[in-house]
Amino acid sequence: MHMDSTVEPSYSSGSVVSSRRAVALSSRLAASALATEGGVMGNEAFHAWFEERQRSHALQVSRIPFGELRGWGFAPGSGNLRHDSGRFFSIEGLRVRSDYGPVREWCQPIIHQPEIGVLGIAVREIDGVLHCLMQAKPEPGNANGVQLSPTVQATKSNYTRVHGGSAVPYMECFVDPDPRRVLADVLQSEQGSWFYRKRNRNMVVEVGPEVEAGEDFCWVTLGQLGALLRLPDLVNMDARTVLSCIPDWRAGSATANAGLHSDTEIRSWVTTRRARHEIVAEPVPLREAAGWHRSPDAISHESGRFFSIVAVDVSSHRREVPAWTQPLLEPHGLGLAALLVKRIGGVPHALLSARVEPGFLDVVELGPTVQCTPESYAHLPAGDRPRYLDAVLERRPERTLFDAVLSEEGGRFLYARSQYLIVEVDEDFPTAVPEDFRWVTLCQINELLKYSHHLNVQARTLVAGMRTLA
Amino acid sequence: MHMDSTVEPSYSSGSVVSSRRAVALSSRLAASALATEGGVMGNEAFHAWFEERQRSHALQVSRIPFGELRGWGFAPGSGNLRHDSGRFFSIEGLRVRSDYGPVREWCQPIIHQPEIGVLGIAVREIDGVLHCLMQAKPEPGNANGVQLSPTVQATKSNYTRVHGGSAVPYMECFVDPDPRRVLADVLQSEQGSWFYRKRNRNMVVEVGPEVEAGEDFCWVTLGQLGALLRLPDLVNMDARTVLSCIPDWRAGSATANAGLHSDTEIRSWVTTRRARHEIVAEPVPLREAAGWHRSPDAISHESGRFFSIVAVDVSSHRREVPAWTQPLLEPHGLGLAALLVKRIGGVPHALLSARVEPGFLDVVELGPTVQCTPESYAHLPAGDRPRYLDAVLERRPERTLFDAVLSEEGGRFLYARSQYLIVEVDEDFPTAVPEDFRWVTLCQINELLKYSHHLNVQARTLVAGMRTLA
């Protein structure tokens, strides 16, 4: 317990003020979203700056055998792949038994990274318009080297500097911020098929003019970010999840958005799915992950499907960045994350699915309508193909509202890319859906995003995508 | 995936109707809370009925050595205490390392019960007033035998009848209810010091006149329940937690209740505490729980503190109830759960603490201002005594708004009782609090209770208690 530090409360006129502040925030965010030409930096200038960053920060990444990893190795007993210092992350085994889906029991490698990191975007009003402070950041697993990242991406070891590393720029904006200037602060999961109970703290904090953009940083409006989000492999996964946690300036008030289901019904649906599905996911030694084989170059499934664990050597032009090696998870095949949307009673609804992924802390999170790696399903009978996949594959171009191939976390995954799609369906598309699906309004999604572990990371990217729609 | 079952949505005019329905619900609940004299059954009749149930359902409970347990035993390797069938629950070991509190590392026995059970209260409008269907139910660990329980207390094995047991009465009200008649449906934790990640589904469902009270059941108003809650050991823990999840008819609208902190600030505080505290709680074989010793009669800590694991033989007068034996957890000493409340800017606030308990699924839940077994702290220096304990012990009788000794779950705990206190503090009581505490409004508590794992089970009893205040 920290008995010494006390909080001086900021009470003056309470949440009547908060409520006014929320309305004001909503219109300030909306104004930033409308500023598609940018503020501090126009779009042309942005792209020139970004391309320059891509050139100067490019990483040389090459596959190496596990034997050439420096500082990483397989633990003698368990066969787990971990860093000698115990830092960073490790690759361990997971045994999964579930009552869900076509395959009920399996083993797999999974990434363990128990610390809670911070993904933070600083926002600042410049010339009356809110801007987000974004970073051009290289990661070894990025297909194109540098992507646009949040102000801060820091593991707990990074930012507490327990290991004496260099300071994370702008970290001070996110450690003990003025509570009244915190726009969002919520723990959210990452890929539940690849990470074991990983979550990061997604933060958005408003800062003042004392915060300026360093060389690798820029101030962009929400409108600019919306356009950038539609470009391939540009806005990284961490930036997308933080953006989705910004209070939705488009969602409007609860009563204005008449939904198919009440909020209580939606929450009860989540509870039902969590109570109904049983999943036992037990960490096991990587050596015991049946069906997975380790060669000198990769740990792969005997079928060739799913993903492999590989090793890379990473170096940079820049003298101040020392070379390093690390393991990465390399998915096999392009992922697909698609959201069907439909106006019901004039109100846009998105069709979310209750997904069971073995790495989730709480059994079920809500995902896109369809989330799969189509290649992984090729060997299964047609009845086991994901529901609504056909509706996505047969989409008409004029009803495709969002279509971008985006990268997943390049610090852990090698060339992990997914096609993100938002597809509007016709009025006569069935409103009745199977038990694992529900039509949810944007306003309801906005409420769920205020609480941890309700929307998975793929759904959060699509929420960010929804907010770019006219 | 359940592809066959589809949900026919109930869309007509959407959440404008839901919103009206919510207001209507609130005033219907308020009317039930005002009906302190009862409806279907007056208070005198209730007590006569309840005393008759206590007489006829009394259990004979006697301590036995572990060797006399039937169907239960210690597993040869691990020393875990479990049922031969693998059903019910087991007592295993837990190794805890934490950066929190005066003791940073320890082992302990803990109850494992991974299934999600249902705690459900059926409510029905009778003569225009909402009534709750409550059950007079004996449990072996209850100090006084029979207590007032929810309509249904069922483990998953119970209600899915996988083991061929007899049907749980009224279970049909809670399996696939009409979603529009679900008032609450949320997963909530139980004692995080005694249970490993146990949670139950807390449900409140409105039913129609087709549901009638059986012999061991009665219809009582919220007003009656409020008065019963103040009597010692009468309303059981399961009933109290479900009552706390009923939407708060007293909380009013968000803007009407100006709080010291905005909702975003309160959520950010929870996130901060979850991210800041590290706790690693690993199941270990019970045999390896250092400091705990097994005699023929009990597993106890070498200090004599905390709790013991014991065994009991249970029998009944009634021919239809066969005798059984089972282990129970017997706490040492009376627990204390106290909430300080204070009007700030005219609005009642409760002082909640961010508690780290090893069995919590997500590190931290919000608990009472003070929650402890005072006896367990007797050996620690004064500086390690729980914060605000003195304010509770020095309370003035006229500022004590609620004071009742209530029982915890009698199916798992032997004579586990806690004194629940709500104490109003003076205007000049400091509003500034340490990092682990926050003043939270009733409206904010009501919002947090809609989502799982925000308020712990002791805080939920106190929330139920708050709603009994004039």
Side-chain angles (χ1 to χ4, degrees), chain A residues 3 5-7 11 14-15 156 185 197 199 201 257-260 268 271-272 275-276 345 362 387 432-435, chain B residues 3 5 7 11 14-15 156 185 197 199 201 257-260 268 271-272 275-276 345 362 387 432-435 451:
Chain A
M3 308 302 285
S5 59
T6 55
V7 176
Y11 184 76
S15 69
K156 194 161 184 176
D185 182 7
R197 300 189 175 175
R199 65 256 191 78
R201 190 170 170 187
N257 282 273
L260 186 59
S268 177
T271 299
T272 306
R276 192 148 307 171
D362 199 0
R387 189 83 161 94
V433 295
E435 270 302 333
Chain B
M3 308 302 284
S5 58
V7 176
Y11 185 77
S15 69
K156 194 162 183 175
D185 182 6
R197 300 189 174 174
R199 64 255 190 81
R201 190 169 172 189
N257 283 273
L260 186 60
S268 177
T271 299
T272 305
R276 192 147 307 171
D362 199 0
R387 189 85 161 93
V433 294
E435 270 300 335
Y451 295 86

Side-chain angles (χ1 to χ4, degrees), chain A residues 9-16, chain B residues 254-261 341-350 424-429 431 439 441:
Chain A
S10 55
Y11 184 76
S12 52
S13 43
S15 69
V16 176
Chain B
T255 45
N257 283 273
L260 186 60
H261 305 287
V341 298
K342 179 184 167 176
R343 285 189 177 268
I344 305 174
V347 175
H349 286 67
E424 190 166 16
V425 295
D426 294 329
E427 292 274 323
D428 62 356
F429 191 91
T431 310
W439 292 104
T441 67

Side-chain angles (χ1 to χ4, degrees), chain A residues 395-402 422-427:
Chain A
R395 69 188 177 278
R396 301 205 307 274
E398 72 275 17
R399 307 300 294 274
T400 304
L401 308 181
F402 187 95
I422 301 175
V423 177
E424 190 166 16
V425 295
D426 295 328
E427 293 274 324

